[in-house]
Amino acid sequence: MSGHSGSAGLQERFATLQRLLGKALDRLGAGAYAVDSDGVIVAVNAQAQILLGRDAGDLLGQDAHDLLHRQANGMSMARSRCPMMAAFIDGRVRQEERDFFVRGDGSLLTASWLVTPLRINPRETGALVVFHQHDPSGVSLPVSAIQAGLLPELERLALLAETTTQLTATLDVNEALERLVRLVVPLLADWIVIDLVTETGDVQRNLVAHDDDGHITRRADLQGTVFSVPETSPLPLSRALRGAGSTLATPHTYQGPPDSPVAVEQRRLFDHTGMHSAVIAPIRGLREILGALTLGRSTQPEPFTTAEIPLVEDLTRRAGLALDNARLYQRQRKVAETMQRHLLPQLPRIPGLDMSARYLPAPHASQVGGDWYDVFHLPDRTLALVIGDVAGHDLDAAAGMAQLRNILRAYAWSHDEPLSVIVDRFDQALPHITDVAMATMILGRLQPHTGGSWHMQWTNAGHPPPLLVTHDGEAKYLTDGHGMLLGTQARVRRADATHTLPPLSTLVLYTDGLIESRGHTLDYGLERLRRRATRLARHPLETFTDALMEQARPFDNDDDVAMLAIRVPAPGPDTL
């Protein structure tokens, strides 16, 4: 097989493993590479690159057997006949005094090799392959030295590499903690306890979990306690939460008179978990202490020793960076969500007219974007309707959207002219008073008409056409009034359009995130939206809006979406 080189996430994993394992492998003085459980090369040392005549970039992510293993005649070797594959599958140590690898230039390397199991992460065992050019004198590789010396260090570094990859791959605090649990339990400990400093400066026992016959189980009865950090307590958890060094602890550590609520909680923890040994380490962020990690053993008989503290501290250092990033992201998202709520308007109450609006952010952006809707009264008490889209889905796009919305309101309010003329003046002014390079928009004017219908005027600046859905379930796009998008500065006369909206019909204004998909044409997206709207025509407007947003939005959409739906009332006395 060709390996996993097509995935950006796996490429990052290979890079992290290579960075940590490669230097350790260099100390062997022989060629060496590590493979994962699929036999894919995840790390390689400098000597192996020299012996094989291949750069690390040519080796990482490739299937080691397919790429390297050959028969004496240079032909590919069947997996079933490969002694290295047999040892790898069986998970045992094996040596061969004379075998063949193919170099990058196609020539054969006659080599002696040793393969031994190597734990890549808590749930995956791969293998370490050490080799050198075949020596007829029969000099063998030092199996015992590799197993006793380098192998444990490689497994420690592989765990740190996996921790880095796993924790930096999420910006959700809870998900990061869950990944940390799966990384260390039961590999290093039977129990894991995570205490985190809250926004108010208190400490909350955020997580207590343990290995339960191969399943990780949370202990909700031991979670949730909130306490302050003792300023002078010499006990391990108190010191860790103040940023002091890591410490070993046993049940006897907390048997004396408690000096703080933390000590009381720690005694309860040891009593209920049966831990006989624990190591407690601070979780440090870039600027502050974020909390503490406690790893405990109850069924594993070996107590923690000081020799294991550096590994735990390496883990907490990576956890601290991941939690710091996740918290920063959550703060930014909260600010962005607040900003978006203030940028998007509240819909006015219009007697007899039913209105509903929705905004969904881009799935991978900052929870804000350049899509917007607006509804406001004009001086003659007719109703202005706007749907628009500034290119981008980030804070810059949201800021540009706010500029356009406010400027458009001023132009529409102060100019008693056809909508096409207002938009043309607006377009000409944009490069002089905003930073927006390009946008699309529909500006409409809605007012009651005879017989219970309503009259809609609009002009379209490069935006997807409005959709009109009748109460009987007929749906059509209003394609008139279409013109150039904003920002082109093209001197082309814009068009106005008019249409009568019959009683109980629904007008849908939307942005392109509702219809665009990487896997389908725009026509497909428009037809999909039309069909969904037809089926929902008789539903209450709020239900109609929610269902249309959910059903029509493409699953592979990566843009934000705004939608404004207006339902004309049944014939009656209500007017604007």
Side-chain angles (χ1 to χ4, degrees), residues 70-143:
R70 294 295 184 269
Q71 301 179 61
N73 60 6
M75 300 296 291
S76 296
M77 180 182 295
R79 289 176 178 266
S80 58
R81 297 177 54 197
C82 177
M84 188 181 294
M85 287 298 300
F88 175 62
I89 293 171
D90 293 341
R92 58 188 175 85
V93 178
R94 179 163 176 168
Q95 278 187 284
E96 286 287 326
E97 292 303 325
R98 189 170 182 271
D99 210 343
F100 303 94
F101 293 159
V102 62
R103 293 188 175 98
D105 61 4
S107 62
L108 287 183
L109 169 69
T110 306
S112 302
W113 54 256
L114 160 72
V115 61
T116 184
L118 172 66
R119 185 158 49 190
I120 300 296
N121 65 53
R123 297 164 303 282
E124 180 181 16
T125 298
L128 170 66
V129 178
V130 183
F131 65 97
H132 57 62
Q133 193 160 9
H134 174 65
D135 186 345
S137 65
V139 177
S140 61
L141 293 162
V143 181

Side-chain angles (χ1 to χ4, degrees), residues 343-362:
L343 290 178
L344 294 175
Q346 296 294 317
L347 298 179
R349 293 183 179 275
I350 309 298
L353 201 65
D354 200 2
M355 290 188 290
S356 179
R358 297 290 184 272
Y359 176 82
L360 286 178

Side-chain angles (χ1 to χ4, degrees), residues 513-531:
L514 194 62
I515 56 173
E516 286 189 344
S517 167
R518 292 188 297 273
H520 297 284
T521 65
L522 188 59
D523 286 342
Y524 175 89
L526 288 167
E527 179 60 19
R528 175 188 173 93
L529 175 62
R530 191 194 67 80
R531 289 199 310 267

